[in-house]
Structures are given as structure tokens and as C-alpha cells.
């Protein structure tokens, strides 16, 4: 007598369907876990914006792309004039909503955010910065806990503002934000 063929079992189609469903569920769980791991490496856990490490890598890529395709890339540094954790979260949320799909907003320091605007010239970046600064000032002019929240914004554009690489672009942007705070805050200063 020959051994019983397992594939010939009346339960075989049911077992196979269950196995396929289990493999599908495990594949989806694995994909979700991989996405979470990627996010953990590129996202700031507090603000939900990109991490500064991810930002630095993307900044180098965008400057190289600007060179290759004869484009400009702009960088904005946002400093809270009235630093607070709640203010940081509020401004980060507004920045996430205001940026384009291909912009790169990131947390930079304890109370600073930064954003890279690929393929954006100085005029376009200045328009965005001023519009965003005024939006924040207006939104919090009478806010209960963040009353008077304003931003000092530094702006630099590669290669237009005399910077030669990603590192100099970031330094120029930071320098302009520092000047904006030094000039009384609630303003955008352009590195020329």
C-alpha cells in the first residue's frame, strides 16, 4: 500500500488558502515594520519633521542636483523669538502643512527648524518666508498660551548668495537667522 498523498487530502485547498493568507499578513507586517524603521531614521520624533541628519544628506544631494541642472536651491532657518516646546510643535505643524511635497522641513535645534526648498530661487524663497512669518505672527497674536509668538527667519540661496557648497549654504542661512534675531526678531533676513 502506498503512503497517503497529503496533497490529495480534502483539507489541502483549505490549508493552502490559510497558508497564503498568513504569508500575506506577515508580508504586510514586515512592510509596515520596515516603514517604521525608515521613519525612525529620518524623522524627528518630537516634531514629525525630518531629522537633521537626514536633512544634511538631502541638502548635499540637492546642491549637487542644482549644480548639475543649473538650478538654485534655497534654505530657510526658523528661530522662535519666544522659545517654547509648545511653540516649536505649533510652528512645526504649520510648516509641515505649508511646504510643498518636495520641500525638506527638519528640526534643527532645540527651538529651531530648517527647510530646504529645491529648485527655488531667492525671490520664491523670500515670498514663502515672509508669507509664513506673517501667518505665524497673525495666528498667535491673541493666542491663549503662545500670545505674540513670532519667528526670525534666515534665508540663503545657492549659488546666488555667494556660497559654494551645502555646508556654506547652511552656515549662511544660520548667520542670517542670527542677524534677524539681533535686529529685533519677527523678520526675514537674506544672506546677500
Amino acid at each position: 500500500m502506498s503512503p497517503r498523498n497529503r496533497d490529495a487530502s480534502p483539507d489541502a485547498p483549505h490549508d493552502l488558502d490559510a497558508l497564503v493568507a498568513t504569508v500575506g499578513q506577515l508580508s504586510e507586517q514586515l512592510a509596515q515594520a520596515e516603514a517604521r524603521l525608515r521613519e525612525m531614521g529620518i524623522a524627528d520624533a518630537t516634531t514629525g519633521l525630518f531629522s537633521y541628519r537626514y536633512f544634511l544628506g538631502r541638502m548635499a544631494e540637492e546642491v549637487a542636483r542644482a549644480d548639475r541642472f543649473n538650478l538654485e536651491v534655497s534654505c530657510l532657518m526658523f528661530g522662535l523669538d519666544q522659545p517654547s516646546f509648545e511653540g516649536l510643535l505649533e510652528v512645526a505643524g504649520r510648516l509641515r502643512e505649508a511646504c510643498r511635497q518636495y520641500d525638506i522641513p527638519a528640526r534643527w535645534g532645540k527651538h529651531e527648524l530648517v527647510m530646504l526648498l529645491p529648485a527655488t530661487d531667492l525671490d520664491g524663497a523670500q515670498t514663502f518666508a515672509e508669507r509664513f512669518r506673517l501667518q505665524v505672527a497673525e495666528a498667535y497674536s491673541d493666542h491663549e498660551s503662545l500670545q505674540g509668538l513670532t519667528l526670525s527667519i534666515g534665508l540663503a540661496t545657492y549659488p546666488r548668495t555667494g556660497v559654494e557648497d551645502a555646508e556654506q549654504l547652511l552656515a549662511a542661512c544660520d548667520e542670517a537667522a542670527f542677524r534677524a534675531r539681533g535686529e529685533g526678531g519677527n523678520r526675514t533676513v537674506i544672506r546677500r
Side-chain angles (χ1 to χ4, degrees):
M1 202 183 252
S2 64
R4 186 170 179 205
N5 184 347
R6 290 186 156 238
D7 293 336
S9 160
D11 293 333
H14 176 64
D15 291 344
L16 184 58
D17 290 342
L19 183 59
V20 168
T22 301
V23 168
Q25 289 172 346
L26 290 173
S27 294
E28 187 170 325
Q29 289 174 354
L30 179 61
Q32 290 172 353
E34 287 174 344
R36 281 193 302 273
L37 286 173
R38 277 193 306 276
E39 287 174 10
M40 288 171 50
I42 67 171
D44 173 65
T46 304
T47 63
L49 300 178
F50 291 112
S51 69
Y52 72 91
R53 285 189 180 113
Y54 176 79
F55 178 84
L56 290 174
R58 286 300 310 277
M59 182 178 228
E61 291 171 8
E62 290 300 331
V63 165
R65 191 166 78 89
D67 278 340
R68 182 174 180 194
F69 296 107
N70 198 29
L71 299 170
E72 293 182 10
V73 58
S74 293
C75 186
L76 302 172
M77 180 79 67
F78 304 88
L80 279 67
D81 293 326
Q82 299 81 15
S84 71
F85 183 71
E86 182 183 1
L88 178 72
L89 296 180
E90 288 284 327
V91 172
R94 286 183 174 277
L95 189 59
R96 198 172 32 255
E97 291 172 6
C99 69
R100 302 168 298 185
Q101 181 179 358
Y102 47 87
D103 292 334
I104 306 161
R107 182 169 183 189
W108 187 252
K110 187 173 181 180
H111 298 289
E112 290 178 318
L113 303 172
V114 66
M115 186 162 81
L116 198 64
L117 293 94
T120 305
D121 65 12
L122 185 62
D123 294 336
Q126 183 178 12
T127 299
F128 175 87
E130 276 300 289
R131 185 174 41 236
F132 187 73
R133 182 186 65 78
L134 292 171
Q135 260 180 7
V136 168
E138 183 179 320
Y140 297 103
S141 64
D142 293 327
H143 192 272
E144 187 176 310
S145 60
L146 295 172
Q147 187 172 7
L149 176 65
T150 58
L151 299 173
S152 292
I153 303 174
L155 165 59
T157 298
Y158 174 86
R160 191 172 183 178
T161 53
V163 295
E164 296 179 11
D165 58 26
E167 188 176 315
Q168 287 182 9
L169 177 61
L170 187 60
C173 188
D174 189 33
E175 174 191 309
F178 184 77
R179 279 190 22 231
R181 282 188 293 276
E183 292 175 9
N186 193 23
R187 69 189 68 231
T188 300
V189 170
I190 301 169
R191 161 69 189 277
R192 301 241 183 226

